[in-house]
Amino acid sequence: MERKGKANLEDIAKVTGVSKMTVSRVLRGGQGFSDETRDRVIAAADRMGYVPNRLAAAFNSVQASTLVGICVPRLTSGLFGHVLDGVDRALTRLGYQVMIGCNNHQPREEEAWLRQVVSWRPAGVILSGRSHTPGAVELLHNAGMPVVEIWDLTTSPIDMSVGFSHYDCGVEVGQFLVRKGRRRAGYVGASSRADVMGQARMEGFSAALVLAGYPLVDREVLLDSPGFYAGYYGLETLLARRPDLDVVYFHNDEMAIGGLAYCQQRGIRVPEDLGIVGWGGMEAASVLPRRLTTTVVPTTLIGKQAAEALVARLKGEPVQDVTVIATRLVPGETG
Amino acid sequence: MERKGKANLEDIAKVTGVSKMTVSRVLRGGQGFSDETRDRVIAAADRMGYVPNRLAAAFNSVQASTLVGICVPRLTSGLFGHVLDGVDRALTRLGYQVMIGCNNHQPREEEAWLRQVVSWRPAGVILSGRSHTPGAVELLHNAGMPVVEIWDLTTSPIDMSVGFSHYDCGVEVGQFLVRKGRRRAGYVGASSRADVMGQARMEGFSAALVLAGYPLVDREVLLDSPGFYAGYYGLETLLARRPDLDVVYFHNDEMAIGGLAYCQQRGIRVPEDLGIVGWGGMEAASVLPRRLTTTVVPTTLIGKQAAEALVARLKGEPVQDVTVIATRLVPGETG
DNA sequence: CTTGGCTACGTTACCGGTAAACTGCCTTAG
DNA sequence: CTAAGGCAGTTTACCGGTAACGTAGCCAAG
């Protein structure tokens, strides 16, 4: 009868001669039973390899489950890996389970994931970006659970937002480069279809340049994943069109490193002939022979803050709707 | 009454004038009802924003849930990011939800995660590595669900294994370097406490060198996370002790790139003065000015295969217990 | 001696969905 | 004319845990 690992509360109750309610109370560390009963119950549960059934617990009670969903644009990005890590550490410590999803920068995939996740009645969800389908927004409103939008700051979040402004990142880089005397700037990007955030950085960059009187000379946006190769070939293409550029802002660090590799190959001196600026703050970028000029994003912190905001809301503690995370433009030896 | 998004089967049944069983069958695409009934039910469900409750569904039935757990050593590793991506893509397509966990290379943390996850009665789990606590193994045996151990191949898996031999990776590199004329090899590693896999590569490497008659001269294993800095400073320390080394095998590509950076800084010519070999197959490594000699691991494929093996077992299809994934030693310009 | 309060439990009802068994009604074969 | 069978549903029971409420026994205060 004491088949290992298949026992439920009732089985334990029978073996110990108490009711299953008492077993439930003991195992959840409640009160209203003698020490002797507690020890007997715990011993039996242990002996029988009892594994609680959270499905039943979460299903029964109106109180929220301990499931939290998180959807990121890509799982293979170093940056989002750190965000996930921050979220996972914070939530695991507090006894939550994390359900991941990946939307490939597509709101429609996010909605599809959301429909799946909501059917598990999670305690809350963390989404990245602020572009959501109307269906997703409606679903979230109806679900009535905490929602944290991360990465791309929204001043009017669905519920809460933790992140920074990509536009401002671009502006800061634009102003910085003009101050450093750059006059003919280019941009190399790559968008897996609908990456609005890289787009925002470029727009901020461009706007700052216009304001300073030295508008963006040219840009090359590849329809490719924003990696090393895209940076390498993107710069090649851009320079073929406009060899007179004196600085290039890249979609991210991986691409900038690709650009650096191209320069090294062609004997283009960095930063004398051409400035190279990335974005993101990859660990790699800071140890390369030439330290890359880039914007460092505190990724783990964003994940941690998002998780903590979500849990605070669940506990009914006061939380601010919008948490701004400061990024840092770190001048290196390339820009 | 038709509060959006809070409706359950019964509510829809009342509105459409059928029983909730019929609603259930319609929404799951079964049969045994007229087209007219189906349309009415679907229309009502849509109108009322019905969100199925998988908690109830999974709870009720003995049939497995659509939850799959996956535990990786680290979320911030580029390699595991790709593994997660492979798993996620394959499982999402098949209608499963993924629950992630991270054990920081510690079996005890894996067991803690496992206890949480098993309480959600998942359809199966994917674990990385083959070191598990006795408690975890017992739990898995009792749970009686498919288990796939990935990354580090086991010939006697708990259930199934998809991966490759780290030891063999090391052997292959050792043999390769001896063939290329290297005679005084060193190793630079980093272990966040209990990384047995890096250890296995080093042992294979060392064994191959011994067999060839040119045993490993020295090694430097830092108690640090295996990143760029650890590679940089690890090589510095190692060369301070043994300046006569003619090649160094690194724990992974990040560290090897750190080592390359150190060489560049110190004017050490690569590969003339010193060979540098990495492991893993980071995208970065193939575009650097000097293409890194490394072992490429088909990460996404491992994730995909693991997911597919798990699902095949769930469907009762025949699956081989051990799937060997071939890694590829790619000679670059540094080794 | 009664009342009230406390401790240490036990009982009941319910969460939302689904498998399995059952029920009319209509059609068709023998 | 009856039996058999299919269609389009309905009814019932149950999964495992928990909230809410109930109760027996004991002790102390009034």
Side-chain angles (χ1 to χ4, degrees):
Chain A
M1 288 304 94
E2 296 201 12
R3 315 155 301 182
K4 267 275 188 185
K6 300 288 178 190
N8 59 24
L9 286 189
E10 188 120 41
D11 298 334
I12 297 173
K14 270 184 202 138
V15 169
T16 47
V18 296
S19 72
K20 71 174 184 173
M21 195 62 229
T22 298
V23 178
S24 169
R25 276 197 281 247
V26 167
L27 294 180
R28 275 181 304 151
Q31 48 188 10
F33 42 78
S34 64
D35 288 1
E36 196 245 323
T37 302
R38 191 195 54 220
D39 294 346
R40 284 223 324 281
V41 167
I42 288 176
D46 206 37
R47 188 157 30 88
M48 299 167 78
Y50 173 70
V51 178
N53 187 336
R54 252 178 236 273
L55 247 40
F59 164 52
N60 161 28
S61 67
V62 184
Q63 104 190 7
S65 78
T66 58
L67 223 49
V68 171
I70 175 163
C71 191
V72 293
R74 284 191 295 141
L75 288 167
T76 55
S77 137
L79 295 178
F80 283 110
H82 281 87
V83 172
L84 279 179
D85 191 50
V87 169
D88 182 62
R89 272 175 210 283
L91 289 180
T92 298
R93 200 164 40 80
L94 295 167
Y96 289 86
Q97 270 66 56
V98 183
M99 244 173 160
I100 49 163
C102 171
N103 66 3
N104 297 305
H105 287 285
Q106 311 242 56
R108 291 182 55 187
E109 289 193 35
E110 181 187 82
E111 183 182 340
W113 172 81
L114 215 41
R115 289 197 183 280
Q116 298 290 326
V117 168
V118 170
S119 74
W120 286 99
R121 304 290 187 265
V125 294
I126 299 174
L127 304 175
S128 34
R130 54 183 186 188
S131 312
H132 314 288
T133 61
V137 173
E138 195 191 343
L139 194 66
L140 290 170
H141 275 128
N142 290 338
M145 62 188 176
V147 177
V148 186
E149 291 167 272
I150 62 168
W151 203 243
D152 196 3
L153 202 68
T154 319
T155 47
S156 55
I158 296 177
D159 182 14
M160 289 171 284
S161 177
V162 174
F164 56 92
S165 159
H166 289 257
Y167 187 91
D168 290 352
C169 283
V171 168
E172 192 181 9
V173 170
Q175 292 172 341
F176 171 79
L177 292 178
V178 169
R179 268 206 312 280
K180 296 267 279 183
R182 305 290 183 177
R183 296 294 176 258
R184 294 178 307 283
Y187 175 86
V188 172
S191 70
S192 32
R193 288 184 243 188
D195 180 359
V196 284
M197 309 186 206
Q199 179 77 17
R201 292 195 294 274
M202 193 200 69
E203 281 165 12
F205 181 60
S206 177
L209 294 176
V210 166
L211 210 66
Y214 308 102
L216 190 66
V217 174
D218 198 0
R219 64 174 116 155
E220 173 67 19
V221 178
L222 291 87
L223 285 171
D224 194 2
S225 74
F228 296 86
Y229 288 108
Y232 187 100
Y233 294 110
L235 182 59
E236 182 172 48
T237 309
L238 187 68
L239 288 181
R241 271 206 310 272
R242 307 296 306 231
D244 58 329
L245 295 178
D246 63 4
V247 68
V248 175
Y249 184 34
F250 285 79
H251 176 100
N252 65 16
D253 284 358
E254 276 103 323
M255 290 188 69
I257 293 173
L260 270 178
Y262 178 77
C263 291
Q264 202 131 3
Q265 195 106 334
R266 293 302 158 111
I268 299 170
R269 290 174 306 157
V270 176
E272 296 83 355
D273 299 342
L274 186 73
I276 298 279
V277 180
W279 180 86
M282 267 182 70
E283 198 193 3
S286 59
V287 183
L288 286 177
R290 315 225 71 122
R291 231 172 52 249
L292 186 68
T293 298
T294 190
T295 303
V296 174
V297 180
T299 44
T300 314
L301 180 66
I302 290 176
K304 184 167 175 281
Q305 298 266 47
E308 286 171 356
L310 196 143
V311 172
R313 171 130 313 169
L314 283 174
K315 293 191 176 162
E317 293 162 10
V319 200
Q320 55 189 30
D321 289 354
V322 176
T323 305
V324 181
I325 302 289
T327 58
R328 225 155 26 86
L329 171 51
V330 178
E333 300 155 50
T334 64
Chain B
M1 290 303 94
E2 296 200 14
R3 312 155 302 183
K4 267 274 188 181
K6 299 289 175 187
N8 60 22
L9 287 188
E10 187 119 41
D11 298 335
I12 298 173
K14 270 184 203 141
V15 168
T16 47
V18 296
S19 73
K20 72 175 184 174
M21 193 65 227
T22 299
V23 178
S24 170
R25 276 199 282 252
V26 167
L27 294 181
R28 275 180 304 151
Q31 48 188 11
F33 43 80
S34 65
D35 288 1
E36 197 245 322
T37 301
R38 191 196 55 222
D39 294 346
R40 282 223 324 281
V41 167
I42 288 176
D46 206 39
R47 189 157 29 88
M48 298 167 78
Y50 173 70
V51 178
N53 187 337
R54 254 180 234 272
L55 248 39
F59 164 52
N60 161 33
S61 66
V62 184
Q63 103 190 8
S65 77
T66 58
L67 224 47
V68 172
I70 175 163
C71 191
V72 293
R74 285 191 295 139
L75 288 167
T76 55
S77 136
L79 295 177
F80 283 110
H82 281 86
V83 172
L84 279 178
D85 191 49
V87 168
D88 182 63
R89 271 175 210 283
L91 289 180
T92 299
R93 201 165 39 81
L94 295 165
Y96 290 86
Q97 269 66 55
V98 183
M99 245 171 158
I100 51 164
C102 171
N103 67 2
N104 297 305
H105 287 284
Q106 311 243 57
R108 292 181 54 187
E109 288 191 36
E110 181 187 82
E111 182 182 340
W113 173 81
L114 214 43
R115 290 200 181 278
Q116 297 291 325
V117 167
V118 170
S119 74
W120 286 99
R121 302 290 186 268
V125 293
I126 299 174
L127 304 176
S128 33
R130 55 183 186 188
S131 313
H132 314 289
T133 61
V137 173
E138 194 192 343
L139 194 67
L140 290 170
H141 275 128
N142 291 339
M145 62 187 176
V147 178
V148 186
E149 292 167 271
I150 62 168
W151 203 241
D152 195 4
L153 204 66
T154 318
T155 47
S156 55
I158 296 178
D159 182 16
M160 290 172 285
S161 177
V162 175
F164 56 93
S165 159
H166 289 258
Y167 187 91
D168 290 353
C169 282
V171 169
E172 192 181 10
V173 170
Q175 292 172 342
F176 171 79
L177 292 179
V178 169
R179 270 205 312 280
K180 295 267 280 186
R182 304 291 183 176
R183 295 295 178 257
R184 294 179 306 285
Y187 175 84
V188 172
S191 71
S192 32
R193 290 186 240 186
D195 180 359
V196 285
M197 310 188 205
Q199 179 77 13
R201 293 196 294 275
M202 193 200 69
E203 282 165 12
F205 182 60
S206 176
L209 294 176
V210 166
L211 209 67
Y214 309 102
L216 189 66
V217 174
D218 198 3
R219 64 174 114 153
E220 173 67 19
V221 178
L222 290 86
L223 285 171
D224 194 3
S225 74
F228 296 86
Y229 289 107
Y232 188 101
Y233 294 111
L235 182 58
E236 183 172 47
T237 308
L238 187 68
L239 288 181
R241 272 207 308 272
R242 308 296 306 229
D244 59 327
L245 295 177
D246 64 3
V247 68
V248 175
Y249 183 34
F250 285 79
H251 176 100
N252 65 17
D253 284 358
E254 276 103 326
M255 290 188 68
I257 293 173
L260 270 178
Y262 177 78
C263 291
Q264 203 131 4
Q265 196 106 337
R266 293 300 159 113
I268 299 168
R269 290 173 307 158
V270 177
E272 296 83 355
D273 300 339
L274 186 72
I276 298 280
V277 181
W279 180 86
M282 267 182 69
E283 197 193 5
S286 60
V287 182
L288 285 178
R290 316 223 72 119
R291 230 174 52 249
L292 186 69
T293 298
T294 190
T295 303
V296 174
V297 179
T299 44
T300 314
L301 180 66
I302 290 177
K304 183 168 177 283
Q305 297 265 49
E308 285 170 357
L310 196 144
V311 172
R313 173 131 311 170
L314 282 174
K315 292 191 177 162
E317 293 163 10
V319 200
Q320 55 189 29
D321 289 353
V322 177
T323 305
V324 181
I325 302 289
T327 60
R328 228 157 22 88
L329 171 52
V330 178
E333 300 156 49
T334 64

